[in-house]
Amino acid sequence: MLRLLRRLRRTAAVVLGLLGGIWSVLMMLLMAGSLALSVAMTVVPAVFSAVAGVVESVTGVRSLATRQADDLARLERRAASEAAARRTADNRAARLSGELADSRAAQARLARELRDSPVTYRGQRLAAREAVKDTAERVARRTTFATSRNLASMAGEALPMIGVGVIVAATAWELSDACALMGEMRALDAAFNPDDPVTDDEICGMKPPTRAELWASIKASPGAAWDTARGMYDSLPEVSFSGTYASTVAYLAGGWNAVFGDDPDPEEALP
């Protein structure tokens, strides 16, 4: 009986030793597998993704790697969309720039064609630019002469009594110059608009007042004459005319008639 118990004890000890060894081997294998898996997950992204997928499927919780991968994919899609939008904007800007360059080239070409297109100007066939140049030169000459004449007549107009006659003659010349300028512009308009040229001309139909008409207007109401002038020129001051001034004007008018007689027609001095 004792022998049997000893034998059972030895057998149990052997079995326990074997189980302990197997357990130790299993722990060592588990530790080695865990270390290998950790290294593989660190070195190989595919292994890490596979392990993360298994964990997510078991636990139902998204891993940090999955969230980071989703964020990265979303950022990449956004960057791709913005790059496509920039390419579209660049292409549109390039297309608009090309269209603008074509439009400017077309405008320049049209302007050259208009400048070189022939027109009938003063009975001759000339290029449009030549007609415009000739009109500009004519207007410049007439304006220069008219301005010089007006400046030269200022001193004569300021002379007491006889200055009225200078004013009448200068006004006649001004009307003549204005009528001539209108004629230059009508000729140019007829060259560019032969089917419907400008024909109205109120300036050439005006006549300057005579010296007698001016004196009569001043004698009748010097205040009204001054107010009319102030309505045309804002810089003129307001003046109050007395009866003495009116009688003095009438006396000067009589002195003019006695010394110089009647005025000639101011239009007789025109060319």
Side-chain angles (χ1 to χ4, degrees):
M1 185 68 178
L2 292 174
R3 186 181 296 175
L4 179 60
L5 290 174
R6 291 190 191 98
R7 188 178 295 173
L8 290 174
R9 188 172 58 186
R10 285 195 299 272
T11 303
V14 171
V15 171
L16 291 175
L18 290 174
L19 291 175
I22 293 172
W23 178 257
S24 298
V25 171
L26 289 175
M27 290 297 100
M28 292 176 61
L29 291 175
L30 182 61
M31 291 178 62
S34 177
L35 180 61
L37 182 60
S38 299
V39 173
M41 291 174 60
T42 304
V43 177
V44 183
V47 175
F48 180 82
S49 299
V51 173
V54 172
V55 174
E56 290 178 3
S57 63
V58 173
T59 62
V61 179
R62 298 178 66 206
S63 65
L64 177 61
T66 302
R67 293 196 298 270
Q68 290 178 344
D70 293 342
D71 293 341
L72 180 60
R74 184 169 60 254
L75 291 175
E76 289 177 349
R77 289 193 299 270
R78 180 183 299 176
S81 176
E82 292 178 353
R86 284 195 299 270
R87 286 194 299 272
T88 301
D90 292 341
N91 293 335
R92 185 171 183 271
R95 184 175 66 257
L96 291 177
S97 178
E99 292 177 355
L100 179 60
D102 293 341
S103 177
R104 288 177 176 174
Q107 291 178 357
R109 184 171 59 255
L110 180 59
R112 289 193 300 270
E113 292 176 355
L114 290 176
R115 288 196 301 267
D116 296 334
S117 61
V119 295
T120 302
Y121 175 71
R122 297 181 179 273
Q124 298 179 352
R125 294 291 290 177
L126 298 176
R129 53 187 173 82
E130 295 295 336
V132 173
K133 180 180 179 182
D134 181 74
T135 301
E137 292 175 350
R138 289 172 176 269
V139 171
R141 286 196 301 269
R142 291 187 181 278
T143 303
T144 301
F145 293 155
T147 302
S148 300
R149 189 185 303 115
N150 287 336
L151 292 175
S153 64
M154 289 180 64
E157 292 175 0
L159 293 174
M161 295 181 61
I162 60 176
V164 175
V166 179
I167 293 173
V168 172
T171 303
W173 272 104
E174 289 177 2
L175 290 176
S176 176
D177 293 335
C179 181
L181 288 176
M182 290 299 298
E184 304 291 358
M185 301 309 298
R186 282 198 305 271
L188 184 62
D189 177 72
F192 286 90
N193 189 24
D195 297 331
D196 187 21
V198 175
T199 57
D200 295 337
D201 190 356
E202 298 180 359
I203 295 179
C204 293
M206 294 182 177
K207 292 184 178 181
T210 62
R211 192 273 311 171
E213 291 172 345
L214 282 180
W215 277 119
S217 175
I218 295 173
K219 287 188 296 182
S221 179
W226 184 257
D227 291 339
T228 301
R230 288 185 65 244
M232 299 296 178
Y233 303 97
D234 296 335
S235 60
L236 294 179
E238 184 176 357
V239 178
S240 178
F241 295 92
S242 62
T244 303
Y245 182 87
S247 61
T248 302
V249 169
Y251 174 78
L252 292 176
W256 173 276
N257 292 332
V259 176
F260 297 100
D262 296 333
D263 286 339
D265 189 346
E267 293 187 353
E268 294 178 359
L270 299 180

